[in-house]
Amino acid sequence: SMTVVHALEHTLRQPEHDAPRILVAENDRLVAATLAHELSRAGFRPHVLRRGRDAIEYSRHAEPDAAIIDYSL
């Protein structure tokens, strides 16, 4: 089965110097750290935020290439 990281790799392939920015909106520290670690290893630039309000504000200004969002935020 395809993981989230593999799906993003196929969707957002770009030159390494311009790695896609991925917003991770997750309030569970372990889940957020794991996602950020795996995304970094795969060549992405994750930005972790723990509150939904902060994720919305970040999205408005930074315009990430993709987002992984905890639906319970």
Side-chain angles (χ1 to χ4, degrees):
S1 69
M2 187 174 277
T3 66
V4 171
V5 171
H6 288 114
L8 286 170
E9 284 175 340
H10 291 292
T11 304
L12 299 172
R13 287 221 186 267
Q14 293 183 14
E16 196 170 311
H17 66 276
D18 192 21
R21 292 171 298 157
I22 310 298
L23 167 61
V24 177
E26 172 61 62
N27 62 339
D28 182 298
R29 288 176 194 246
L30 180 58
V31 172
T34 301
L35 282 169
H37 175 74
E38 292 300 323
L39 288 166
S40 293
R41 284 185 54 207
F44 299 103
R45 291 181 295 155
H47 186 85
V48 176
L49 292 168
R50 297 190 61 222
R51 296 180 343 164
R53 189 175 340 158
D54 295 337
I56 291 169
E57 189 64 27
Y58 174 81
S59 303
R60 288 182 180 148
H61 299 289
E63 297 182 5
D65 297 297
I68 300 172
I69 302 170
D70 177 351
Y71 71 90
S72 67
L73 287 180

